[in-house]
Amino acid sequence: MTPQKKLGWGLAALLVAGNMIGSGVYLLPSTLAPVGSSSLIGWIVASVGALALAVMFAGLGRLRPQADGLTDYAGEGLGRFFGYQASLAYWAAGWVGNCAIAVAATGYLAYFFPALEGRWAGALSNVGLICLMTLAYMGGARIVARFGGATLLIGLAPLVIAIVAGFAAFQPEVFSASWNPADVPLASSVPASLALIFWAFLGVESAGVLAARLKDPERDVGRATLGGVLLAAVVYIAASVAVFGVIPASDLATSTSPFADLAGRVMGAAAAGFVAVCAIAKAMGTLGGWIMLTGETARSAARRGFLPAAFGTGERTPVSNPLIHAALMSLIAILSAQPNLADQFGLLIGMTTVLILVAYVLCALALMRFTSAWRWRLAALISLAFCAWAVAASGVTLIWITLGFFALTSVAWHFVRRAPASTA
């Protein structure tokens, strides 16, 4: 790539932000309603943690430019067993997280079809959306990629409209009254919300892959990384403040489409419908992209001998790969079904985020093994502390689910470690 065609740090920062700002935030105000507008503190803390992680992954990208993501970072730094654990955690987080994205899409579909707010109607909708986008993936990666690209800018509309409308109609008394609706000490409620809030920052690990495309990698990797995360943080915080400044927490707790509801209150039904359509389109585009990513993650794990060959060990992804994932995601969508879509969304994103935070912990430990440079080690230490704290504060249920997952993968390791990596 010629210097003229390489990216400056400003454009790169926009790309980093775009990797994070997606459909994941659309249902979060409802999920965070029990915490109330005090979740603003959690957004700020999560933003600081995301900045530390961004710097950490920028360091890993600089020190291990040929590594294939989290699996190689953990494997090269800590050994094959930890590479295996990071790979399976990221893989499982993928198909569990896809269910959460489907729930977000169903939530905004319920704006037009209220029956989908019901437990089993919503579950069937989630399964249908998962199967639809799985079929798109089976039709070819280009179909999914083009659809995802077409919905990229569309997905910003709900957030932009919410911020503009929310601040135009902001009511300080509504924001204040929703500060701590459950009357729980903030020292307990805010840390517990981090696993939910950090869902919106997942993808921060992609920040360090831009080095080869930057004009001045030595300086611009850090600038682009920090700028992108800061931009995403500003958008998230502004959107959260806008929603809680217009809609009381008690109303948000029962909403399946908080940004559409905000637009409806301030700008009317037409604006609400437009926001809901944009949210559905973006959620579907994100779902298709993550279904494809999950399939490719599984294929990469199978090539390493970490998963069965049915997920694919060659250059082509076999039909069995998306079919297995569709079955797994459908099962999770049904088993996790709740009377309230926001409750189901919260459970799924909590599981996803905790699994990925554990993988981030392994990457932080790997970075400390790779270098003695104080700046990278400091970023690794801050990232390690943040991730460990967020996991510990996530709640007993999520901790036990995570421990159960890693207990199963540790038992399976006794069989997996004998499997050779594919050379196909």
Side-chain angles (χ1 to χ4, degrees):
M1 182 178 291
T2 63
Q4 290 78 13
K5 293 184 178 180
K6 289 196 173 184
L7 303 175
W9 74 269
L11 183 56
L14 291 176
L15 292 176
V16 171
N19 284 339
M20 285 180 288
I21 300 174
S23 63
V25 73
Y26 291 162
L27 205 54
L28 268 178
S30 299
T31 305
L32 294 171
V35 182
S37 52
S38 62
S39 59
L40 173 64
I41 301 173
W43 279 107
I44 294 171
V45 174
S47 298
V48 173
L51 287 170
L53 283 163
V55 175
M56 182 190 80
F57 280 109
L60 286 167
R62 291 273 295 276
L63 295 168
R64 288 293 188 277
Q66 303 304 319
D68 185 15
L70 276 70
T71 300
D72 279 0
Y73 293 148
E76 291 178 15
L78 304 173
R80 190 167 184 254
F81 171 73
F82 291 101
Y84 156 79
Q85 293 284 22
S87 179
L88 263 62
Y90 200 74
W91 167 67
W95 46 269
V96 174
N98 287 339
C99 295
I101 297 170
V103 170
T106 292
Y108 280 84
L109 278 170
Y111 180 83
F112 301 105
F113 308 103
L116 296 180
E117 295 181 21
R119 181 174 189 171
W120 299 116
L124 289 175
S125 172
N126 297 334
V127 171
L129 296 177
I130 287 167
C131 291
L132 177 63
M133 296 316 297
T134 297
L135 288 174
Y137 173 41
M138 293 172 66
R142 287 190 177 186
I143 295 176
V144 176
R146 286 174 178 171
F147 183 55
T151 61
L152 183 60
L153 292 178
I154 293 174
L156 294 176
L159 298 178
V160 173
I161 292 174
I163 292 170
V164 173
F167 279 97
F170 187 83
Q171 301 175 59
E173 62 275 13
V174 173
F175 187 87
S176 177
S178 298
W179 182 252
N180 189 7
D183 198 25
V184 175
L186 295 183
S188 299
S189 63
V190 172
S193 69
L194 285 178
L196 303 178
I197 290 173
F198 203 77
W199 159 264
F201 287 100
L202 296 184
V204 67
E205 68 273 8
S206 66
V209 304
L210 294 171
R213 298 182 178 274
L214 296 176
K215 293 179 180 178
D216 186 1
E218 285 292 323
R219 294 195 308 168
D220 289 352
V221 166
R223 290 178 176 180
T225 298
L226 296 176
V229 174
L230 279 172
L231 178 58
V234 168
V235 170
Y236 290 148
I237 291 171
S240 179
V241 170
V243 171
F244 279 105
V246 175
I247 305 178
S250 57
D251 292 346
L252 280 174
T254 59
S255 173
T256 65
S257 51
F259 290 112
D261 290 346
L262 171 58
R265 289 188 180 215
V266 179
M267 305 172 69
F274 175 73
V275 166
V277 168
C278 290
I280 293 166
K282 175 54 181 169
M284 293 299 291
T286 301
L287 178 60
W290 274 94
I291 284 177
M292 180 170 66
L293 179 61
T294 301
E296 295 309 301
T297 299
R299 186 167 66 90
S300 176
R303 288 171 64 92
R304 291 180 169 89
F306 296 160
L307 286 175
F311 288 102
T313 56
E315 293 300 320
R316 297 177 63 86
T317 302
V319 173
S320 54
N321 179 312
L323 291 179
I324 292 171
H325 283 122
L328 287 171
M329 290 184 287
S330 298
L331 181 62
I332 290 293
I334 293 172
L335 292 178
S336 66
Q338 304 283 328
N340 187 303
L341 283 173
D343 291 340
Q344 182 180 14
F345 184 72
L347 175 63
L348 291 170
I349 66 174
M351 292 169 58
T352 303
T353 304
V354 170
L355 285 172
I356 293 184
L357 284 172
V358 173
Y360 288 171
V361 165
L362 297 178
C363 290
L365 293 171
L367 179 57
M368 295 180 70
R369 294 285 300 273
F370 289 147
T371 181
S372 58
W374 71 267
R375 58 172 177 165
W376 299 131
R377 286 204 157 199
L378 179 61
L381 280 172
I382 296 174
S383 300
L384 178 61
F386 170 78
C387 292
W389 178 47
V391 170
S394 63
V396 175
T397 299
L398 292 178
I399 290 174
W400 276 113
I401 291 174
T402 304
L403 289 174
F405 173 81
F406 284 107
L408 287 173
T409 56
S410 295
V411 170
W413 172 250
H414 292 287
F415 304 95
V416 171
R417 64 181 179 179
R418 298 182 179 89
S422 172
T423 58

